[in-house]
Amino acid sequence: MSDALWSERQKSTWRTKVGLAEMLKGGVIMDVTSPEQAKIAADAGAQAVMALERVPADIRTQGGVARMSDPQMIRGIQDVVTIPVMAKCRIGHFVEAQILEALGVDFVDESEVLTPADERYHVNKHEFKVPFVCGCRDLGEALRRIGEGAAMIRTKGEAGTGDIVEAVRHLRTVTDEIRRLGALPPEELMTVAKELGAPYDLVVEVARTGKLPVPNFSAGGVATPADAALMMQLGAEAVFVGSGVFKSADPARRARAIVDAVANFDNPHKLAEISRGLGEPMSGMSTSTMEDGQRIAGRGW
Amino acid sequence: MSLTGVLSYQGGFERHLERLAGLGVRTLPVRSVEALERVDALIIPGGESTTIGMLMERFGIMQALLARIATGLPVFGTCAGAILLAADIEGSEQPRLGALDITVRRNAYGRQIESFEADVSDAAWNGAAFHGVFIRAPQIVRVGAGVRTILRFESLPVLVREKNMLAATFHPELTGDDRIHRYFLEEVAGI
């Protein structure tokens, strides 16, 4: 039995941070912008919600600087759901992260979807009690974020487009690079670490274990149950859905269908049933016709 | 050779499967009634109890599993799995199995930033401490007459057993210590 006071006990260790990420495998995390939407997401079976002021599709069309959400709105969402509540801070904006931690959010997403606050450095995530998730496009970026303390990694995809192609590219890139590392002799790993721009110790660990040291989720462009199941079959361990739910014609039905699809991602007969008659998906925009300036996946360093 | 299932809709199923495989046990991720019918024992992992309960109802697992528990299927619930087994969940009408005579309080230690690790020691278990990982953990605030408390932490039960059901409020699958999994397999399931 511990003699220490509750407040004196060691809390929020690396293991409890990555542990929460483990507990979020096999499910769906949904972007919500109000307590009403959070209720719809939770009732549909979302395992967590991401509280933000505008979904990525609206950030794209409305422009301007996208920042951390109003704490009052985050509190409002925390009050109506029992599932974990996540929220986004700008890349490098450690004060937004401090505020989110003070609010007691369960995960902070240091996200390229918001306008970056620092063009060179990300938040030192080790300093925080709250766990962080960060986006990546390739293995080097994933390992840099883990090196900074991220307890969960997600693909960036191209948020707010409803086009899955970038998320597929990013996930395939990460898994291909992990496989390649596993085949290399030890003397090549230092040079590979240099080329990837990744911490050497993490490169050695991935080469040995064949996987990232933290859960690897997918985000950015999921609009249909089939998109979600595709990412799961490609090896994602859970799925974030941003604009795909609440920019569709029937959010409650689509939310539930995406949850059911992730739970049955390898069963095409069930997926066929789940995908029937959901109404219009978000209209979306093709990433292949986008100008470089319109892409947000390039944010982060 | 017997088959041990892990309910794998959502949550910490992967670590349980790894831990079981490490003990040389044949495993099956359970995501359908057909898979459930094949297993000789089942672990219900941590995760979000509301989400897992909802998916169990949607895909017919809830009734099928209740029927199997009633006829003796050994089950082990960790964290959310313990909540799903509990007869009473304070302030919640969420879907559950309700087979284990305990009352639980969800997220009883607070939000994620209050998650913690602590040693849970018990003289009855060879005296060696268990390293408990408590993540948005529930508390067991009442145990029924037929329920035996195996481990306590700060005077509250954290590992309890009633007949073929074992429940932990923490995550033995997240540490390298496999004693609780072995206890479930050997003592509860007889595998």
Side-chain angles (χ1 to χ4, degrees):
Chain A
M1 195 74 63
S2 163
D3 290 324
L5 288 175
W6 162 247
S7 56
E8 289 166 355
R9 227 183 278 130
Q10 186 188 21
K11 281 186 195 173
S12 195
T13 60
W14 178 246
R15 200 181 252 150
T16 63
K17 289 177 175 178
V18 178
L20 180 59
E22 290 283 342
M23 297 310 138
L24 294 171
K25 283 185 176 175
V28 181
I29 300 153
M30 293 183 199
D31 280 5
V32 297
T33 58
S34 67
E36 293 72 33
Q37 288 187 356
K39 274 288 287 168
I40 291 171
D43 290 345
Q47 60 174 345
V49 292
M50 177 76 69
L52 74 176
E53 239 145 49
R54 297 182 285 172
V55 293
D58 288 335
I59 291 174
R60 273 183 189 287
T61 51
Q62 294 165 6
V65 175
R67 310 180 177 90
M68 177 189 79
S69 297
D70 183 339
Q72 189 177 323
M73 174 267 200
I74 295 170
R75 274 273 153 80
I77 288 172
Q78 286 174 320
D79 287 344
V80 298
V81 295
T82 58
I83 54 178
V85 175
M86 305 186 174
K88 291 181 192 289
C89 76
R90 286 179 264 180
I91 288 173
H93 205 314
F94 52 86
V95 174
E96 284 187 349
Q98 289 165 3
I99 292 169
L100 293 175
E101 178 173 274
L103 284 170
V105 304
D106 296 293
F107 242 101
V108 173
D109 184 0
E110 187 183 16
S111 178
E112 69 283 359
V113 167
L114 305 185
T115 310
D118 193 318
E119 293 187 319
R120 216 170 142 66
Y121 304 111
H122 283 248
V123 172
N124 177 12
K125 294 166 273 289
H126 289 294
E127 279 189 349
F128 288 79
K129 288 192 290 183
V130 65
F132 280 72
V133 52
C134 288
C136 75
R137 289 160 297 172
D138 53 40
L139 182 60
E141 196 171 15
L143 296 181
R144 286 195 293 279
R145 296 297 83 80
I146 296 167
E148 291 159 358
M152 179 200 291
I153 287 295
R154 56 169 176 78
T155 58
K156 286 182 169 172
E158 192 58 44
T161 61
D163 187 348
I164 198 67
V165 67
E166 293 298 312
V168 169
R169 186 207 315 279
H170 298 159
L171 188 56
R172 279 198 186 275
T173 302
V174 170
T175 47
D176 285 352
E177 287 174 327
I178 290 174
R179 263 195 299 269
R180 193 172 75 88
L181 274 191
L184 296 179
E187 67 270 22
E188 296 189 13
L189 294 179
M190 182 59 86
T191 300
V192 169
K194 180 181 143 198
E195 288 163 0
L196 288 174
Y200 173 71
D201 287 352
L202 283 171
V203 169
V204 170
E205 178 171 338
V206 171
R208 200 170 62 202
T209 62
K211 57 184 184 129
L212 294 179
V214 304
N216 186 14
F217 291 11
S218 181
V222 173
T224 68
D227 289 345
L230 173 68
M231 299 316 295
M232 294 296 287
Q233 287 200 27
L234 284 171
E237 295 176 303
V239 174
F240 285 85
V241 187
S243 318
V245 168
F246 289 99
K247 283 289 163 188
S248 72
D250 189 344
R253 279 185 69 187
R254 186 161 293 268
R256 176 175 165 162
I258 291 174
V259 169
D260 291 354
V262 169
N264 295 280
F265 70 94
D266 55 356
N267 186 334
H269 294 289
K270 280 219 173 107
L271 291 174
E273 242 170 75
I274 289 162
S275 304
R276 273 168 42 183
L278 299 178
E280 282 294 304
M282 70 179 285
S283 61
M285 61 192 295
S286 168
T287 56
S288 60
T289 56
M290 285 168 72
E291 309 274 334
D292 274 355
Q294 292 176 281
R295 293 175 187 270
I296 55 184
R299 298 167 172 176
W301 358 100
Chain B
M1 189 182 174
S2 50
L3 190 60
T4 303
V6 178
L7 188 67
S8 299
Y9 278 130
Q10 188 274 331
F13 50 88
E14 208 171 87
R15 292 274 173 245
H16 277 296
L17 288 164
E18 284 172 15
R19 183 69 58 230
L20 292 169
L23 289 167
V25 175
R26 216 156 58 92
T27 61
L28 183 71
V30 171
R31 285 190 277 117
S32 66
V33 174
E34 297 72 45
L36 176 65
E37 297 306 334
R38 291 175 54 203
V39 301
D40 304 295
L42 183 77
I43 291 180
I44 308 172
E48 286 310 308
S49 60
T50 50
T51 302
I52 299 173
M54 219 178 274
L55 291 168
M56 288 171 79
E57 285 207 324
R58 275 182 209 170
F59 300 110
I61 295 254
M62 193 69 92
Q63 284 313 312
L65 179 53
L66 255 181
R68 288 217 58 194
I69 291 174
T71 55
L73 179 77
V75 289
F76 177 23
T78 54
C79 196
I83 295 170
L84 285 159
L85 281 172
D88 298 306
I89 305 169
E90 277 191 359
S92 172
E93 298 301 317
Q94 67 189 80
R96 76 198 71 167
L97 293 156
L100 177 60
D101 189 14
I102 58 173
T103 301
V104 295
R105 182 178 299 155
R106 290 185 62 195
N107 300 337
Y109 297 93
R111 299 182 191 278
Q112 170 61 14
I113 50 172
E114 309 292 332
S115 293
F116 63 96
E117 298 183 49
D119 280 340
V120 178
S121 61
D122 185 81
W125 208 317
N126 304 327
F130 287 89
H131 194 63
V133 183
F134 294 80
I135 297 173
R136 300 177 87 241
Q139 285 175 346
I140 297 172
V141 294
R142 179 194 66 85
V143 292
V147 180
R148 188 158 65 88
T149 297
I150 303 173
L151 287 175
R152 285 176 191 275
F153 175 65
E154 293 188 334
S155 81
L156 284 174
V158 293
L159 180 69
V160 299
R161 176 178 176 182
E162 182 180 18
K163 292 178 285 193
N164 53 326
M165 293 172 283
L166 185 68
T169 61
F170 58 101
H171 293 277
E173 78 281 8
L174 294 180
T175 64
D177 186 343
D178 59 14
R179 283 178 292 166
I180 293 177
H181 283 82
R182 283 209 319 261
Y183 174 82
F184 172 62
L185 293 171
E186 290 163 15
E187 304 293 323
V188 182
I191 288 174

